[in-house]
Amino acid sequence: MEPDLLGPPYERHTIDLGSDDEGPVIATLVRRRAERPTGRAVLYVHGFVDYFFQTHVADFFAARGWDFYALDLRKYGRSLLPHQTANFCRDLGDYFPELDAAARIVRTEDGHDTLLAMGHSTGGLIVSLWAHARRDAGLVDGLFLNSPFFDLNAPWFVRRPLAAAVARLGRRAPHRVLPLQLPTVYGESLHADHRGEWTYDLAWKPLAGFPVRAGWLNAIRTGQRRLRAGLDIPVPVLLACSTRSFRGSKWHESATLADAVLDVEHMVRWAPRLGRHVTLARFDGGLHDLTLSGPAVREKVFAEVGRWAEAFLAAGPTPDQPEIPRMRR
């Protein structure tokens, strides 16, 4: 491990993933150790147009004895190299090698006996598919999915027939840029330079995102079809999302109280396809990343995660644990 850009107590480890058609590929595992470790760990996986910066999430788990790990996937954030297409993949299974490597580091090298995988948005879809594919390996003991990307946020015709046509294009011309522009509403609701309270690198998480490419959309559609056909994740799953979605492309104050990226009803609809033991929790006023919601909402989110982990992962609170921490500025 070497020092991370977040400063102490954060460290990072570069995972060498060889090369692909664009050249060398890496992923980055960030670690924040608990002062009083309990043998438990969290592995966090970010969403699309994202990377790990949510130090208050790490602080919450560390205060309860969980060592916290966050994986910047290949071509995202810390792992994005100058020669690479940002946030691009051809298949969501491309991310399994860095997830396997991260789990090995957490369990074998660092000696943890309990691992909770936590995925946000696209990361929630990825870790679900990975947990299903590795279900016989015993790599994870539970999943916490924060607003997972289980379906395209579009009318039926776009989600199905049109998406199928784009998928065919994605196989022939994967780097083709599609005429899809992500609205800036969600980014504006987050960043402190606009209407939010959080500070992060806009080069790695730009307000309008990165270009949407046909190959990436095909990978997403393929992964979502696998999920909707039914997975067999054998460990407990907590799926959390907002109670409502914001559908506008221009700013409105209601965007601060809803998921401004995905349709939350899709998450609710497809949650039962994850496995046999799924808990659903919805939060009024929650943003797309529930942990970046307003203080009252995120306090409820953390409280729910704590109760769920105590009930299903035998993860009770540590003595004299402090109040729920806020993100460092």
Side-chain angles (χ1 to χ4, degrees), residues 2-3 113 147 150 157 222:
E2 60 183 9
D113 52 34
S147 305
F150 285 172
F157 178 78
T222 301

Side-chain angles (χ1 to χ4, degrees), residues 10 87 91 139 243 286:
Y10 292 90
N87 299 189
D91 189 295
L139 296 183
T243 57

Side-chain angles (χ1 to χ4, degrees), residues 3-182:
D4 184 61
L5 56 88
L6 292 172
Y10 292 90
E11 308 167 283
R12 70 179 179 189
H13 172 74
T14 300
I15 300 172
D16 185 352
L17 296 168
S19 298
D20 66 5
D21 58 343
E22 293 187 322
V25 180
I26 63 169
T28 309
L29 186 65
V30 179
R31 181 177 69 188
R32 188 247 196 263
R33 287 195 180 274
E35 291 185 9
R36 292 174 291 175
T38 58
R40 299 189 291 264
V42 176
L43 176 60
Y44 173 85
V45 181
H46 56 77
F48 183 57
V49 190
D50 207 357
Y51 72 102
F52 172 66
F53 64 91
Q54 300 90 336
T55 57
H56 64 300
V57 179
D59 291 343
F60 166 79
F61 283 103
R64 284 148 183 80
W66 296 72
D67 285 348
F68 185 90
Y69 298 78
L71 186 63
D72 275 14
L73 299 168
R74 64 184 70 194
K75 307 186 183 184
Y76 282 85
R78 298 165 178 81
S79 307
L80 178 61
L81 302 178
H83 60 272
Q84 293 177 328
T85 303
N87 299 189
F88 180 75
C89 75
R90 298 170 188 261
D91 189 295
L92 297 184
D94 292 348
Y95 299 119
F96 291 2
E98 52 254 55
L99 285 163
D100 291 341
R104 177 185 54 78
I105 291 169
V106 173
R107 283 198 175 274
T108 304
E109 295 187 14
D110 289 355
H112 295 89
D113 52 34
T114 299
L115 177 58
L116 170 64
M118 175 180 177
H120 167 57
S121 196
T122 303
L125 176 62
I126 292 168
V127 299
S128 297
L129 297 170
W130 174 67
H132 168 77
R134 302 293 188 263
R135 61 190 178 277
D136 295 327
L139 296 183
V140 297
D141 299 282
L143 264 64
F144 168 36
L145 307 179
N146 171 4
S147 305
F149 187 12
F150 285 172
D151 211 339
L152 302 175
N153 187 11
W156 177 86
F157 178 78
V158 176
R159 297 201 316 271
R160 300 298 182 261
L162 186 58
V166 172
R168 291 191 291 272
L169 174 63
R171 291 189 286 271
R172 297 194 309 271
H175 286 275
R176 177 77 60 83
V177 175
L178 302 176
L180 300 173
Q181 182 68 44
L182 298 177

